[in-house]
Amino acid sequence: MNVTTVACAPSGLNWTEINWIKVRDRVKKLQARIVKATQEGKRGRVKALQWLLTHSFSGKALAVKRVTGNRGKNTPGVDKVIWSTSKAKTNAIVSLQRRGYEPLPQRRVLIPKKKDKTRPIGILAMKDRAMQALYLPALEAIAETTADRHSYGFRPERSTADAGEQAFICLAGRNSAQWVLEADIKACFDTISHEWLIDNIPVDKTILQKWLKAGFMYQKQLFPTVAGTPQGGIISPVMANMTLDGLEHALATAFPQAKRKGLKMNMVRYCDDFIVTGHSKEWLEKEVMPVLVTFLSKRGLTLSPEKTRITHITDGFDFLGWNFRKYNGKLLIKPSKANIKSHLNKVREVIKGHKTIEPSTLIKILNPILRGWANYHRHVVAKKSFAKNDAQIWTMLWQWARRRHPNKNARWVKERYYITLGNRNGVFAAEKDKKYDRKVVLVSEASMPIRRHVKIKGEANPHSPAWITYFDARRKRMAKLTPLYYRVPQGAFAEA
């Protein structure tokens, strides 16, 4: 079905006949035009192109596809409505209209954090999610064009690995900065000033104000929202990033001759977590901190006293689950102790919570956890951590196996649950898999190869046509460097 025809005659629309390649291409072209207009400073043209994208069939169809294809597709909002059928999705495209739109309150749920704390998450109704997903591409094109060079959180084509590599670049040299200001913003998403967002976020002001003032439902009571952008909203991470964009410029303006004076000032940010390097503790405390406080106060934000500190590089600091520390002048990045402890606790909970489960099923639950953690840390000095984790997990599984057979001796248990693969002895495994006719084995974190991450260029913009060749080459290079996870000898199978 021709996309243009569908846009003109939505009554004849059929969800299964949409040409998604053309839909995505149309949205990408509009985003590229927004980037160009933003770079040229043509605000009126930017608004016109945003209006065109948010009122196009392609934009609406892609928005509905996004909210009906992600992990939250079966989680309803306060109206208890989900879009699970083709007819419902088709009707949803037609329903995404600016005129008469009134968002529903969020459904507030609390998720656990560290130290018995909780974090509020707002679950939006399906239509409100789709409306945010509709306006997101129009806003993201601007955000990627105006973003700080060394901001890496919740941005396309960027990751924590890029942030870690940039921190390494800033700190690894012999003459690099020795002092680091670890900054964390207190309840960032919950305290951003609504007035600042409405005045500075380049999106439809009427729609934005309705989202911000929609309120939330908790325990069947309606509460107003006077500040913040909801955690769980599709567009919230981009707005939070845009709120903090400008930190680099603020520091550069406050210290215009930082490089010539040898201040060794650098900043690396991942959403609301960031570090600032400097030549001395006093300079970071007395001159840099006031600049940060002033910048954040204009946006209704404050630094968290518990998590903001100034540290010497030889003492080390934790950032994004890694520990950065110099040993005899050499910077090493390792998985942090807190991150390792959290990972092992999670594995322990899974094993203890499935005392009577089949071994093959337990392996299927554990393998993604082990693989995901090892994959996250495969760019840093993590081989010893991987080996120690494997040893502790082996002990957990041995206790699990012995508990199941209290009247059997150790040799019997070993022969039932453990095999030898190559030079690895005592590999936890299950009986032959019916589909593959092979043993199903637990993956080993230590088998993950360590490979240095290649950092993305600071000015790279995935929505700009000028960077298409760069990103294509980068994706191909990253695909070649991605390891073939956990190779095992023939006759065994590492269940995904």
Side-chain angles (χ1 to χ4, degrees):
M1 180 177 288
N2 184 278
V3 172
T4 306
T5 304
V6 168
C8 296
S11 58
L13 172 62
N14 189 329
W15 178 264
T16 59
E17 296 178 4
I18 297 175
N19 188 328
W20 293 108
I21 295 177
K22 289 186 177 180
V23 164
R24 289 189 179 92
D25 186 58
R26 172 64 174 160
V27 172
K28 286 181 179 179
K29 286 181 178 178
L30 285 171
Q31 286 182 298
R33 292 172 66 186
I34 292 173
V35 169
K36 185 173 184 295
T38 303
Q39 291 171 338
E40 294 173 351
K42 299 179 179 178
R43 295 185 180 181
R45 184 163 182 79
V46 169
K47 288 184 178 181
L49 289 168
Q50 284 185 305
W51 189 95
L52 186 61
L53 196 161
T54 56
H55 287 74
S56 68
F57 164 76
S58 297
K60 294 177 180 179
L62 207 59
V64 174
K65 184 174 178 63
R66 174 168 182 166
V67 301
T68 56
N70 58 20
R71 289 189 298 175
K73 62 183 178 182
N74 295 321
T75 305
V78 294
D79 58 354
K80 299 182 180 180
V81 172
I82 59 172
W83 299 334
S84 57
T85 65
S86 295
K87 184 177 180 180
K89 296 173 186 177
T90 302
N91 293 335
I93 295 176
V94 180
S95 72
L96 298 184
Q97 302 291 336
R98 181 183 184 276
R99 179 176 295 179
Y101 168 67
E102 291 294 337
L104 294 173
Q106 312 151 32
R107 180 164 66 88
R108 174 67 60 91
V109 296
L110 302 178
I111 61 173
K113 286 180 63 177
K114 298 177 182 177
K115 298 179 181 178
D116 298 325
K117 295 182 179 179
T118 58
R119 171 182 294 168
I121 295 293
I123 300 176
L124 279 66
M126 291 295 291
K127 184 173 181 178
D128 297 330
R129 288 180 231 172
M131 286 294 286
Q132 290 197 10
L134 173 60
Y135 281 82
L136 175 61
L139 180 62
E140 190 177 71
I142 302 173
E144 286 299 304
T145 308
T146 60
D148 288 344
R149 284 171 51 88
H150 300 306
S151 163
Y152 300 97
F154 301 111
R155 294 180 60 187
E157 305 291 344
R158 298 184 182 230
S159 66
T160 52
D162 292 305
E165 187 63 22
Q166 178 60 28
F168 181 88
I169 293 170
C170 297
L171 296 166
R174 182 179 299 176
N175 297 319
S176 296
Q178 299 295 303
W179 291 94
V180 179
L181 168 62
E182 309 168 60
D184 182 88
I185 300 171
K186 186 176 182 179
C188 178
F189 281 84
D190 297 328
T191 56
I192 300 175
S193 166
H194 282 181
E195 290 72 20
W196 192 93
L197 288 172
I198 294 170
D199 292 339
N200 294 275
I201 299 299
V203 73
D204 188 309
K205 305 300 182 184
T206 302
I207 296 293
L208 176 58
Q209 189 165 13
K210 288 181 179 181
W211 286 336
L212 296 176
K213 302 299 182 182
F216 64 90
M217 294 288 294
Y218 182 64
Q219 295 180 345
K220 298 182 180 181
Q221 291 186 5
L222 177 62
F223 296 87
T225 46
V226 295
T229 177
Q231 294 192 53
I234 290 176
I235 207 169
S236 295
V238 177
M239 291 200 294
N241 262 333
M242 295 190 78
T243 302
L244 298 175
D245 282 333
L247 261 175
E248 288 185 25
H249 178 73
L251 289 171
T253 302
F255 308 102
Q257 298 180 331
K259 188 174 182 179
R260 187 177 68 82
K261 292 181 178 180
L263 301 180
K264 301 178 182 180
M265 180 180 70
N266 297 283
M267 193 190 84
V268 183
R269 180 168 66 85
Y270 190 90
C271 199
D272 59 336
D273 292 331
F274 62 94
I275 61 170
V276 181
T277 66
H279 72 293
S280 72
K281 181 178 181 179
E282 292 73 18
W283 178 72
L284 287 172
E285 186 176 10
K286 296 180 180 180
E287 298 193 44
V288 173
M289 282 281 284
V291 175
L292 300 179
V293 170
T294 301
F295 177 90
L296 295 174
S297 64
K298 295 178 181 178
R299 292 152 174 78
L301 302 172
T302 57
L303 291 174
S304 171
E306 300 84 11
K307 298 181 181 180
T308 301
R309 60 182 68 89
I310 300 174
T311 311
H312 196 272
I313 192 63
T314 55
D315 296 326
F317 66 95
D318 290 350
F319 183 53
L320 302 177
W322 297 308
N323 179 260
F324 295 74
R325 184 179 176 185
K326 272 191 175 180
Y327 300 83
N328 297 322
K330 184 175 183 180
L331 180 68
L332 297 182
I333 308 175
K334 302 179 181 180
S336 69
K337 292 181 180 180
N339 196 270
I340 294 173
K341 182 179 179 181
S342 175
H343 171 57
L344 292 176
N345 284 342
K346 183 176 182 180
V347 173
R348 188 175 290 106
E349 288 175 5
V350 169
I351 294 173
K352 286 186 175 181
H354 297 84
K355 295 179 180 179
T356 60
I357 201 173
E358 287 295 321
S360 59
T361 306
L362 181 61
I363 290 173
K364 291 177 182 179
I365 297 173
L366 287 176
N367 275 358
I369 299 173
L370 305 182
R371 181 180 292 111
W373 195 86
N375 185 57
Y376 181 86
H377 294 285
R378 68 187 175 96
H379 304 297
V380 302
V381 183
K383 271 296 182 183
K384 287 186 178 180
S385 298
F386 290 164
K388 289 180 180 179
N389 286 353
D390 285 342
Q392 291 201 42
I393 293 168
W394 189 94
T395 301
M396 296 177 200
L397 289 170
W398 177 255
Q399 293 172 349
W400 176 88
R402 290 298 303 270
R403 187 185 298 113
R404 289 165 68 92
H405 306 281
N407 298 324
K408 300 293 185 178
N409 59 37
R411 176 175 291 183
W412 186 94
V413 173
K414 182 178 183 300
E415 290 176 352
R416 179 177 176 85
Y417 292 102
Y418 295 87
I419 62 174
T420 298
L421 288 177
N423 60 354
R424 291 175 56 203
N425 295 319
V427 178
F428 189 76
E431 295 299 324
K432 287 186 177 181
D433 184 272
K434 295 180 180 179
K435 181 178 180 181
Y436 296 96
D437 193 32
R438 290 179 288 187
K439 287 276 188 179
V440 181
V441 302
L442 187 77
V443 298
S444 166
E445 291 183 2
S447 65
M448 171 66 76
I450 302 295
R451 291 202 173 105
R452 184 76 173 268
H453 179 74
V454 179
K455 188 183 75 70
I456 191 172
K457 290 185 178 180
E459 63 275 13
N461 187 339
H463 302 304
S464 172
W467 291 94
I468 291 177
T469 304
Y470 168 78
F471 280 108
D472 286 343
R474 179 176 172 80
R475 292 186 193 104
K476 290 179 182 178
R477 182 173 65 250
M478 298 289 281
K480 289 180 180 178
L481 292 175
T482 300
L484 294 174
Y485 299 123
Y486 313 103
R487 296 183 179 182
V488 293
Q490 189 174 5
F493 177 59
E495 176 63 51

